Structure formats: structure tokens, C-alpha cells
Amino acid sequence: MQTLSQTQLEAALAAADDADATPEERAEMLMEIGMGLQQWPRNAQQLHDAIALYERALELAPEPARALRARITARMGTALQALPDGGAATLDTAQACFEAALPVLQAQGRPEEVAEAELNLGLVLQALAGLGRGRITDAIAAYHRALRTFTRESFAQEYAVLHNNLAICYLSIPASDERGRMREALAVQSFEEVLKVINLVDHPSEYAMINNNLGNALQYASSSHVLENNLRALAAYDEALKVRNPRDTPLEYANTVANKANVLRRLVPEPAQAGDALPGAGGDPLADALALAREAQEIFSRHGDAQKAALMAEVVDDISSEMTHRRVQSH
């Protein structure tokens, strides 16, 4: 039985040999078939096949067809960056594809084609920066160029992707200078921009993920408004927990309740406040934090994540000791 990949490849080869079509038409057909292979790849081989089709298309496309050649080159870049077995060298090649295609697309392409190439270039630069082979600021610049076209009103999905990636980029830069606080604020702002696009009903898993990430950004931000940020973080985690639950998404749920336990501990800076009710924190933040930490520990242990289970066991011990100390102090 033929696979979809085999059928498409045979069609592509036939298209490349069609004497009735012009070289430009044959190149465009190869690109379209490569895009079809790449859209829902069942395995890495289909991505390699798509890259081979793009390479053949570039051989066929005449030099004067600069816009077509740029589109094919950009498509090849997206296939290269998607390869799970690619590595840094493949990302370097993908970067070269986007950088070669962009000047032509800027001159002859549509604004959304340019923005898409900038978005994908940003993804590649972000991945390379994570490997120590580039600057994260270059990825940030590419994302901002894409945002000139991918506005919230006209391209909501791309807008959300860009702001999510921007937030991750901002948070990945060590806060070693005076601009660190500004980048943390920009990360929070970007996560909030994503939440203007996605919602609980239509995008539940993304909604939960972004709220969890927003909570983390808020509670660890270097700010003079610590209490306000922690309460906002608590509200964000509660939004995430409208989706995440121990039955359907146990590990994601455990991550969020572990984060919530940590922020609850931060809501009790002084022993005198140990039993005070704070906005959004329940009756006793430390007791609530202990219950959540124990729940997270149990879930991580049950699902075989020994490292996180051990970490939460330490958190449980720390909170228990803190509660004992506070009881002694209060007598």
C-alpha cells in the first residue's frame, strides 16, 4: 500500500518531467507539493523529501523568476528548521535561506510573506541563541519587524505566536544590567497581549499555558510592587487551573499547583501574617501552599518524574519547618 508521501513524490516527479509546462510552472508545482508534504509530516523523512523537492524546484526555476525563487527558498527554510534531527548546522542553513529570501520578498512579495519570513527567521535565531550560536536580541528584532504586519486585528494567530516568543526571549536574557527589570515588564506585557487573542473556550490548552507562564513571569519579576505582582500571579495560576486538572492533564496541573504553592509562600513575608487572610490567598497561605506542594509531589511521583517529586519533597519540608517556626514565634 502506498503512503501519502510516496504518492505525492511520484506526482512531483511527474510534474518535474511535464514537457507541456514551463520551467517556472514546474518549479511552482514542485513547491506546492513540497508544502503539502510539509504541512502534516508523519515523520522526519517527509520533511527531507520536501527539502529535496524545494531543491529540485530551485534547479528548475529560471533566474529571472526572483520572487518565485525567494518563495521556494523561504519554504525550504521552514522545512529545515522543522527537522527534528537537524541540529545547529541545519539551523544555520535555514537562517541563510530566510536571509537570502527576505530582500527579494521585501521588493516583490506581499507584506504577509515578508512578515512570515521574519517570524520564521526569529524562530531560527532564537533556537541558535539557545545553542550559544547567536544573539537573542537578533531574534527579538526579527519578531518586532514581523509585528509591523502581523497585527492583532488582522493576523491574530501570528500575533499571539510572536508575543509568546518575545516573552520567552525577554525572560531568557540574564537580568545582569539595569535593563533587566524592563525586559521582565516587557515579558509580562507580551504574555498579556497573547491573552487578548486566545481565550478559555476556543484555546483552552494555550490559555492555560500562557496564564501559567504569565504567573511565573509575575512572581519572579524584580519589582517594587512585589505583593501586587504575587497576587496577579495567583490570579493567573487560577485561570490556568480552570483548564488543567489532575485527571486530564496531571503533569501540567502539578506544575501549576507547584508554582501556586511557591507564590502563596511569598505572600507571607512576616510571621505575624501567617494566619492572615490576603486577597486571593485563602485563609492561611502557608497551609494552602503546603497542601498544594504535597499534591504536586504525589502527582510527580506517581507519574515517574522523580526529579520534580524530590524537589517538591524539599518544598514540603521547608514549608512544614516554616509553619512550625511561626507557631513557636507566635507563642
Side-chain angles (χ1 to χ4, degrees):
M1 180 179 177
Q2 288 187 322
T3 66
L4 181 61
S5 176
Q6 289 172 324
T7 302
Q8 288 177 315
L9 280 173
E10 289 176 7
L13 293 172
D17 293 332
D18 185 357
D20 294 329
T22 67
E24 191 168 346
E25 289 170 338
R26 289 153 64 191
E28 193 156 1
M29 283 189 282
L30 286 173
M31 180 183 70
E32 294 289 343
I33 296 168
M35 290 168 60
L37 271 177
Q38 187 184 340
Q39 187 172 13
W40 302 107
R42 296 179 179 179
N43 48 54
Q45 184 56 49
Q46 289 192 324
L47 291 172
H48 285 289
D49 291 342
I51 292 167
L53 292 175
Y54 295 140
E55 289 173 339
R56 178 67 176 132
L58 285 173
E59 292 173 4
L60 288 169
E63 286 296 331
R66 297 181 68 239
L68 173 60
R69 293 181 63 84
R71 292 183 181 107
I72 296 168
T73 301
R75 284 290 145 213
M76 186 157 64
T78 63
L80 286 162
Q81 78 182 103
L83 281 174
D85 53 353
T90 301
L91 290 173
D92 287 337
T93 306
Q95 178 184 351
C97 285
F98 295 125
E99 290 177 343
L102 270 165
V104 180
L105 293 176
Q106 287 163 349
Q108 301 183 26
R110 300 184 303 275
E112 56 268 30
E113 289 181 308
V114 177
E116 182 183 4
E118 293 282 19
L119 187 162
N120 286 313
L121 174 60
L123 289 170
V124 169
L125 293 170
Q126 185 176 354
L128 285 169
L131 296 173
R133 295 172 63 94
R135 300 181 305 179
I136 197 67
T137 50
D138 291 338
I140 291 171
Y143 291 144
H144 277 292
R145 290 193 297 269
L147 280 170
R148 296 171 189 167
T149 299
F150 286 156
T151 62
R152 175 156 57 102
E153 293 75 19
S154 302
F155 297 90
Q157 182 178 353
E158 290 83 359
Y159 180 86
V161 169
L162 284 163
H163 271 291
N164 182 60
N165 290 340
L166 277 170
I168 294 169
C169 286
Y170 290 136
L171 294 175
S172 72
I173 303 174
S176 56
D177 56 35
E178 68 279 1
R179 289 174 293 181
R181 184 174 294 188
M182 180 186 71
R183 289 193 296 268
E184 291 171 343
L186 288 171
V188 169
Q189 181 181 342
S190 280
F191 283 135
E192 290 174 336
E193 287 300 310
V194 178
L195 290 170
K196 293 177 182 178
V197 173
I198 65 173
N199 61 69
L200 176 63
V201 175
D202 297 323
H203 321 92
S205 60
E206 293 86 352
Y207 182 83
M209 179 188 71
I210 297 300
N211 270 294
N212 182 76
N213 293 344
L214 171 61
N216 291 343
L218 284 164
Q219 75 157 306
Y220 295 114
S222 305
S223 169
S224 57
H225 306 290
V226 175
L227 178 59
E228 177 186 345
N229 280 355
N230 284 332
L231 291 173
R232 289 172 63 196
L234 198 62
Y237 293 136
D238 285 339
E239 287 299 310
L241 292 172
K242 291 179 179 178
V243 178
R244 296 181 170 184
N245 62 74
R247 182 188 68 254
D248 301 320
T249 53
L251 293 175
E252 292 88 347
Y253 173 83
N255 281 327
T256 299
V257 296
N259 293 331
K260 184 176 177 180
N262 191 63
V263 80
L264 283 168
R265 292 176 68 187
R266 295 160 67 92
L267 283 172
V268 191
E270 299 296 336
Q273 293 178 307
D276 291 350
L278 291 172
D284 184 345
L286 271 184
D288 292 343
L290 181 60
L292 291 173
R294 282 174 172 160
E295 186 179 12
Q297 178 192 358
E298 189 276 328
I299 293 172
F300 287 136
S301 179
R302 177 157 34 97
H303 287 271
D305 194 331
Q307 184 175 5
K308 286 187 177 178
L311 179 63
M312 294 314 300
E314 293 179 13
V315 173
V316 167
D317 289 342
D318 289 346
I319 297 175
S320 298
S321 298
E322 192 174 347
M323 292 180 72
T324 300
H325 177 71
R326 290 177 186 278
R327 281 196 295 269
V328 170
Q329 291 259 317
S330 64
H331 287 88

